Amino acid sequence: GWSHNSNKLGIWSEGSVSTLLFKTDKNYENLKLEISCQPYITKKNNVSEFDIYVNDTFNQNIKLVKNDRDEKIEILINEKIVEKNEIKIDFKFKNPVSPYEVLESPDSRKLGILLKNIKIIPKTI
């Protein structure tokens, strides 16, 4: 799932799987999602690694490292895997860590990425 960022910009992925569901207003040929995010990196995990699935089809593997700036992830969505203009994006995290585990705070949520912005762009793939 997704959860709060304590009155700051963005939402945290929480747990091993976080899902985004959305429906487009019309049938687009292909889409590109641009996601701006930051990984949760600690002394326990120096890389945030996850797989992205679109409508249950593997899309890509992502590995992010701490660099104190936003990362941009691009997800290309082929029209062939979209039915009824509905899109499901699953983020399957390999190593989510909680701030509690690394003695940063009493927060026991297993965090993966801080999602800040999503842009959906009609695209020719």
Side-chain angles (χ1 to χ4, degrees), residues 110-123:
K110 297 248 185 206
L111 306 177
I113 58 171
L114 177 64
L115 194 145
K116 293 187 170 184
N117 190 10
I118 300 172
K119 186 187 292 186
I120 303 171
I121 304 164
K123 180 83 177 153

Side-chain angles (χ1 to χ4, degrees), residues 68-84:
D68 296 322
R69 64 179 170 87
D70 290 354
E71 296 284 348
K72 186 168 87 172
I73 298 170
E74 292 186 351
I75 302 172
L76 300 178
I77 302 173
N78 190 304
E79 68 176 322
K80 293 175 186 166
I81 63 170
V82 177
E83 293 181 23
K84 299 178 186 173

Side-chain angles (χ1 to χ4, degrees), residues 13-122:
S13 65
E14 184 176 349
S16 297
V17 179
S18 292
T19 302
L20 297 174
L21 299 169
F22 58 93
K23 187 170 184 165
T24 57
D25 59 344
K26 63 181 185 177
N27 185 18
Y28 291 95
E29 289 186 11
N30 298 302
L31 294 172
K32 178 172 79 167
L33 268 60
E34 290 181 355
I35 296 176
S36 175
C37 65
Q38 280 189 347
Y40 182 63
I41 301 294
T42 70
K43 58 189 173 194
K44 187 174 181 178
N45 69 330
N46 57 358
V47 175
S48 178
E49 183 178 1
F50 53 96
D51 292 333
I52 297 175
Y53 288 79
V54 177
N55 290 349
D56 299 319
T57 300
F58 177 77
N59 184 278
Q60 63 186 302
N61 173 268
I62 302 286
K63 293 179 183 175
L64 301 175
V65 297
K66 184 174 180 117
N67 60 16
D68 296 322
R69 64 179 170 87
D70 290 354
E71 296 284 348
K72 186 168 87 172
I73 298 170
E74 292 186 351
I75 302 172
L76 300 178
I77 302 173
N78 190 304
E79 68 176 322
K80 293 175 186 166
I81 63 170
V82 177
E83 293 181 23
K84 299 178 186 173
N85 303 342
E86 296 174 346
I87 298 171
K88 179 176 85 156
I89 310 289
D90 289 313
F91 298 82
K92 297 188 177 186
F93 294 91
K94 302 199 186 270
N95 58 342
V97 175
S98 74
Y100 177 76
E101 288 175 68
V102 293
L103 306 175
E104 287 182 358
S105 80
D107 184 352
S108 62
R109 295 175 299 160
K110 297 248 185 206
L111 306 177
I113 58 171
L114 177 64
L115 194 145
K116 293 187 170 184
N117 190 10
I118 300 172
K119 186 187 292 186
I120 303 171
I121 304 164

